[in-house]
Amino acid sequence: MSTGTPRVIKARVRLGDRVFSTSTITAGSIIVAILAAVAIFLIAQSIPALVAKAGTLPNAASSFWDYVGPLAFGTVWAAFLALLMATPLSIGIALFISHYAPRRIAQVLGYIIDLLAAVPSVIFGLWGVSVLAPAVQPFYVWLNTSLHWFPLFGGDVSGTGRTILTVAIVLAVMVLPIMTAVCREIFLQTPRLHEEAALALGATRWEMIQMAVLPFARPGIVSAAMLGLGRALGETLAVAIVLSPALVVSFFLLTSQNPSTIAANIALQFSEASGVGVNALIASGLVLFVITFIINAIARAVVNRRRAFSGAN
Amino acid sequence: MTAVASGRMVNSLTTGRLPRGSVWMLLIGSWVLLGLVFLFVQLSGATKSFNLVGAIFLGTVLFDVLIFVISLLVEGVRKAKDRLVTSLVATAFIVALLPLVSLLWTVVQHGLGRMIQPSFFSMSMRNVLDGSGGVVHALYGTLEITLATTIISVPIGLMTAIYLVEYGRGPLARAITFLVDVMTGIPSIVAGLFAFALFALLTGNPGFRSGFAGAVALSVLMIPVIVRSSEEMLKLVANELREAAFALGVPKWLTVLKVVLPTALPGIMTGITLAIARVIGETAPLLIASGYSDSVNFDLFSNRMMSLPVFVYTQYANQGSIAEFFTARSWAAALTLILIVMLLNLAARLVARIFSPKLGR
């Protein structure tokens, strides 16, 4: 470690040490190799789709970008809607667990929220299509008839409830646990003295949270949202089961013509795809990977910036 | 804030505040009120069954409004805002509980009857045309694939964590930390596509599917989880233990193997169990890399292999002529899967609880 200094006492190099440290380095290098392999194989398999001529691609797309465009839109749109619902909810739940619930039951409540994370996504899909969609469909009809002027609620209302809004609700439930866990961690790290100072000055609990907890936790909330977004973007089977997809780019929330997502499209089309179709699906997977990579990179950057410049610690 | 009643003895500490217990009474009152409303709706024939979820949800919303208004009148605006946020935060928790309870209830209700039929755990789906058939092939598949995934991921993940904590300095360690972060963000379906592309190229057969390909895909998802959790646990081991071992002349590799690892073992085991629980429910990568079949296949390295989550999906998605048979099997398999995952989570918590007091003080 300190090999730079001139007068260093050299330890005898033992065989066991050599073998052990080499094998840990090998394990670390395997991870590098795996990621390189993921990138290389995906890119290699994507190239035929990227250079494909018009007419050979599925969905009668003129180019690959024409093919992936609506799917990328659907992916981002569904994840965005899910985030819109999940962010305030998860902040509320995290506050409830960290600052409102009695200490003794707070941990149990945390476990209960973690249980949501334990449910496999395919089961969320089954639940979404057989319980949630029929339950919200009458509500959609009401929204559509009474708020038809509002741009998002326009169009012809779906008869099954399998719309992108239902998908977004399912996705929101699925990303809740991870977002809540991150927010909770951050809220618990608020400097105790800041909280007590606010309370001592006569602030109510909400004013204390407003003045001490939320400003401290803002970067953490952003990174929690980004993590949730990353999860929602890559979610596959819940979307594939619940959504009734179509080849459209539309902002309508309640119709049966919904933009599909990249991941759901891969899962639904893969078994029947052949030739360039397979390459197009793999290339769309690459696009999804790039999108999630960018989102995660932003989340990490936000967290690291906080670590460096936070005045609180 | 409010006018103090004149001419009577008043306790100045309790005036202008809501009496104790009034909040809970108000909450229960709103639930009962909305319950009655929904009961009347049901009796009038507008809905078929009693809408408990709606009653609790709307009752809680009514409570949020009521508590704000009442507190505003009695206690003033600052306290009212505080009470409003308190009730909203509690509402958020209840709203999150509703889907969980509804989901568990639905799965048990639809799945239990089919799951306890004897055929479910004794038959595969080979040549099954009637309502019988079971998940034996899927159970074997899930067991083999998960085992293979664990055997691949645990050594790589654990050794990498040891490298990062005990040895890692300089650019390689920084690169690995960064790449583990990237790996955590890989969408599961992309991992499936990678395994598919890898084996299609290696075998030269674009239709190649095997359990092992699925295990490779799942390993891509599992390794970063194990690295992260093991790293956290190894960092928790007190430095004094390492220094004491070095002072006694113990070589570094023995210090890691005999001192650091045993101390961190319970935490590492918990992390591994949670990672298995997460990976065992993954559907998309297995759907692509392992495919699906109706018969038992013990060979991890050739032919399609069924697994439990894929069974849930295919029974739902590819329904035959009599749909009830397929949906019943799908729900029963879903219940089995949830039970397995919950058991694994419980085991992880137990390991953590039984062994963790040895850490720290």
Side-chain angles (χ1 to χ4, degrees):
Chain A
M1 273 164 249
S2 54
T3 42
T5 50
R7 292 176 58 202
V8 73
I9 304 165
K10 277 235 160 168
R12 197 159 54 89
V13 178
R14 296 183 182 85
L15 182 66
D17 266 336
R18 190 60 74 67
V19 171
F20 193 69
S21 66
T22 315
S23 56
T24 60
I25 292 180
T26 314
S29 314
I30 288 177
I31 288 188
V32 180
I34 291 176
L35 260 169
V38 170
I40 290 169
F41 279 105
L42 287 184
I43 292 172
Q45 293 275 328
S46 303
I47 288 172
L50 295 177
V51 298
K53 284 192 276 304
T56 53
L57 283 165
N59 301 345
S62 60
S63 75
F64 172 70
W65 303 111
D66 187 29
Y67 169 74
V68 84
L71 297 172
F73 166 78
T75 309
V76 175
W77 180 228
F80 171 75
L81 289 172
L83 207 64
L84 219 56
M85 286 180 261
T87 311
L89 258 186
S90 64
I91 293 175
I93 299 166
L95 273 181
F96 182 72
I97 295 174
S98 68
H99 282 82
Y100 282 92
R103 265 296 139 78
R104 215 174 310 153
I105 63 167
Q107 206 178 16
V108 178
L109 299 182
Y111 284 162
I112 293 178
I113 296 297
D114 286 345
L115 272 188
L116 270 178
V119 178
S121 78
V122 62
I123 300 178
F124 271 112
L126 284 187
W127 174 77
V129 78
S130 60
V131 177
L132 185 65
V136 291
Q137 200 270 337
F139 180 63
Y140 288 174
V141 173
W142 175 80
L143 272 184
N144 184 254
T145 46
S146 55
L147 294 171
H148 198 83
W149 50 270
F150 190 65
L152 295 181
F153 298 149
D156 298 323
V157 71
S158 157
T160 55
R162 296 169 61 178
T163 75
I164 196 148
L165 186 57
T166 315
V167 168
I169 296 174
V170 174
L171 287 180
V173 175
M174 296 179 68
V175 299
L176 258 187
I178 176 84
M179 292 177 65
T180 306
V182 175
C183 286
R184 198 176 63 196
E185 282 302 306
I186 300 284
F187 290 159
L188 286 175
Q189 281 171 16
T190 315
R192 191 98 200 142
L193 286 177
H194 292 196
E195 295 178 7
E196 284 168 2
L199 290 173
L201 289 172
T204 61
R205 186 144 45 169
W206 164 236
E207 286 162 349
M208 179 272 283
I209 286 172
Q210 246 182 330
M211 288 188 290
V213 179
L214 290 184
F216 176 82
R218 195 168 299 133
I221 294 175
V222 172
S223 85
M226 289 290 171
L227 273 180
L229 189 60
R231 283 279 167 93
L233 286 171
E235 199 40 65
T236 310
L237 277 164
V239 183
I241 294 177
V242 174
L243 195 68
S244 74
L247 274 173
V248 289
V249 174
S250 109
F251 285 97
F252 291 145
L253 296 180
L254 310 176
T255 67
S256 50
Q257 299 281 309
N258 301 288
S260 185
T261 73
I262 291 178
N265 182 59
I266 296 173
L268 290 175
Q269 306 295 330
F270 199 79
S271 55
E272 284 125 45
S274 61
V276 184
V278 176
N279 298 114
L281 289 177
I282 292 179
S284 71
L286 190 64
V287 172
L288 177 65
F289 182 35
V290 172
I291 295 177
T292 38
F293 176 75
I294 293 171
I295 300 281
N296 283 318
I298 295 174
R300 253 193 321 279
V302 171
V303 175
N304 290 338
R305 201 177 54 192
R306 174 181 152 269
R307 219 173 265 150
F309 295 113
S310 170
N313 21 335
Chain B
M1 321 254 164
T2 50
V4 177
S6 54
R8 259 200 301 151
M9 273 288 284
V10 238
N11 183 344
S12 63
L13 289 176
T14 54
T15 45
R17 304 194 57 187
L18 290 180
R20 185 182 293 175
S22 56
V23 175
W24 291 105
M25 307 248 296
L26 204 58
L27 178 61
I28 293 168
S30 336
W31 279 346
V32 170
L33 185 66
L34 262 293
L36 285 177
V37 168
F38 274 96
L39 193 65
F40 284 132
V41 169
Q42 186 201 353
L43 290 180
S44 71
T47 54
K48 271 172 278 167
S49 60
F50 182 66
N51 191 345
L52 187 67
V53 175
I56 289 182
F57 177 70
L58 289 179
T60 318
V61 172
L62 175 71
F63 165 75
D64 294 345
V65 176
L66 279 182
I67 192 79
F68 180 67
V69 173
I70 293 176
S71 175
L72 187 66
L73 294 177
V74 179
E75 298 177 316
V77 67
R78 285 179 60 211
K79 190 70 184 167
K81 264 189 200 161
D82 187 46
R83 285 204 189 272
L84 177 70
V85 174
T86 308
S87 56
L88 279 182
V89 160
T91 308
F93 188 78
I94 294 174
V95 166
L97 279 190
L98 289 180
L100 180 66
V101 173
S102 159
L103 184 142
L104 291 180
W105 170 245
T106 314
V107 173
V108 171
Q109 189 190 17
H110 289 26
L112 191 62
R114 184 65 180 82
M115 195 179 87
I116 54 177
Q117 279 177 24
S119 69
F120 195 68
F121 290 112
S122 62
M123 289 175 73
S124 72
M125 287 300 295
R126 191 177 176 81
N127 301 331
V128 169
L129 295 172
D130 56 357
S132 68
V135 290
V136 170
H137 57 316
L139 275 180
Y140 282 132
T142 288
L143 194 68
E144 283 192 29
I145 292 175
T146 313
L147 206 64
T149 310
T150 314
I151 290 173
I152 298 173
S153 315
V154 169
I156 296 180
L158 192 54
M159 290 305 262
T160 307
I162 292 176
Y163 172 72
L164 288 177
V165 175
E166 305 289 337
Y167 294 94
R169 304 284 180 280
L172 180 63
R174 248 175 288 137
I176 291 176
T177 312
F178 172 73
L179 289 178
V180 168
D181 272 341
V182 174
M183 230 170 154
T184 319
I186 292 183
S188 62
I189 191 132
V190 173
L193 286 177
F194 156 67
F196 165 79
L198 176 73
F199 281 87
L201 230 65
L202 286 182
T203 61
N205 169 15
F208 183 81
R209 305 277 200 287
S210 77
F212 189 68
V216 168
L218 291 186
S219 299
V220 173
L221 300 172
M222 190 169 174
I223 288 173
V225 180
I226 291 192
V227 174
R228 275 281 158 273
S229 64
S230 312
E231 204 186 343
E232 289 300 314
M233 288 305 140
L234 290 174
K235 275 183 188 160
L236 281 181
V237 176
N239 247 340
E240 285 83 353
L241 286 180
R242 296 192 183 90
E243 285 159 9
F246 291 150
L248 290 171
V250 181
K252 184 157 189 173
W253 69 284
L254 274 180
T255 310
V256 173
L257 276 187
K258 300 255 169 169
V259 177
V260 178
L261 269 186
T263 318
L265 201 61
I268 293 174
M269 294 293 287
T270 306
I272 290 175
T273 319
L274 286 177
I276 294 176
R278 197 198 138 187
V279 148
I280 211 168
E282 286 290 353
T283 320
L286 294 180
L287 190 65
I288 285 179
S290 297
Y292 42 92
S293 77
D294 282 343
S295 6
V296 176
N297 170 19
F298 287 113
D299 189 355
L300 206 52
F301 296 94
S302 69
N303 290 325
R304 292 152 184 265
M305 191 180 246
M306 195 57 150
S307 56
L308 211 45
V310 178
F311 182 90
V312 175
Y313 175 67
T314 49
Q315 288 294 317
Y316 170 79
N318 312 330
Q319 288 173 357
S321 48
I322 305 175
E324 299 99 77
F325 293 160
F326 289 82
T327 47
R329 279 193 291 257
S330 179
W331 282 112
L335 180 59
T336 317
L337 190 58
I338 284 194
L339 285 178
I340 292 175
V341 175
M342 300 253 160
L343 275 180
L344 281 171
N345 269 287
L346 198 67
R349 303 265 178 244
L350 279 181
V351 169
R353 170 156 313 172
I354 293 172
F355 294 104
S356 64
K358 284 182 189 165
L359 286 172
R361 63 212 75 145

